[in-house]
Amino acid sequence: MSSTFSPHRVSASAAVAGATGYLAIDLAALGRNYQKLAAMLAPGRAAAVVKADAYGLGAERVAKTLSERGCRHFFVAQFVEAQKLRPTLRSDAQVFVLNGLQPGTEIECAEAGIIPILNSLEQYQRWSDAAGELRRTLPAVLQFDTGMSRLGFPPQERAELAQALGENSNVEVLFIMSHLASADEVDDVQNAEQLAEMCRIADEFTGFDISFANSGGVFLGGAYHGVLARPGIALYGGAPTSGVPNPMEPVVSLDVAVVQTRTVPAGAKVGYGAAHVTTGETRLATIAAAMPTACRES
Ligand SMILES: *Cc1c(COP(=O)(O)O)cnc(C)c1O
């Protein structure tokens, strides 16, 4: 038995541009997720990581929604993302570039009011040079590698950095930060190791606020929070911690049309290469989940 184009509500509403499905983004749920995290972090604050177009949800609409909920700190990965986002935000919001200071963009970055996360002495020097050229102080964040080996000042650059900070007053350090590698695994020893290293760094670079937690880190407890946490995936409804029920509200849902259903007996081969063989009589649906999918905000 087989039927074609079941009267699914998507097929009616998805007439938009020939779409066969709807990706719905629940901005109200996004806002509630932000408030939940912000409440857990108080008196510290919650930033929002909106890199990769806010994990695909649209950086501009996400940032606007979170701005309305009081978020003032937005992190992107690349300078070009910051250039697009910065003009859409309130003047008292700050946009930070996680990947650091891209060579050749220093003056543009400074003039656009975009704040680089400096990850090496070489980046620090270029930002300081730009400050000199512009004859003003430029704001920055310093990121330290505490064991992930991805971005940030490596341990062997710390002494020279401390010296440079002592000599140089044209780079204003807003806060220092590091990134957790295994925060979604509550029992992973790497969390405590990274925290211990962050504490050593805080002892070496005294007087600076600390930003440490990503989504998982928010759920590791107050020791990990610092003054400004940087959640990403949890805002968008992703699970911050593995192995336990997800405390966040879903933000994204995908409705796609069922284009055909059939009931097959046991032993029926399903899909390319007979990827599945049924073990009993089974009702199957073929869905139209390929592009184009229209996008709807609510
Ligand atoms: C991506 C990223 C985050 C956000 O991580 P989530 O696990 O999505 O919360 C925070 N900080 C840095 C440095 C990142 O690169």
Side-chain angles (χ1 to χ4, degrees), residues 37 48-51 55 75-77 98-99 117 119 143 148 150-151 177-180 183-184 211-218 229-236 239-240:
L37 296 170
V49 176
V50 294
K51 63 189 177 191
Y55 295 45
F75 289 82
V76 295
L98 291 166
N99 283 5
I117 308 289
N119 291 308
Q143 173 161 228
M148 188 180 184
R150 189 175 73 172
L151 288 172
M177 64 171 271
S178 189
H179 189 42
L180 290 159
D184 56 325
S211 174
F212 196 41
N214 59 347
S215 297
V218 176
R230 305 181 311 275
I233 192 71
L235 291 170
Y236 311 119

Side-chain angles (χ1 to χ4, degrees), residues 79-100:
F79 178 59
V80 286
E81 296 178 273
Q83 277 181 306
K84 271 175 70 184
L85 186 63
R86 173 66 272 183
T88 72
L89 295 174
R90 301 161 49 117
S91 59
D92 64 347
Q94 293 178 316
V95 180
F96 304 93
V97 180
L98 291 166
N99 283 5

Side-chain angles (χ1 to χ4, degrees), residues 267-278:
K269 298 184 177 88
V270 183
Y272 283 117
H276 179 74
V277 179
T278 56

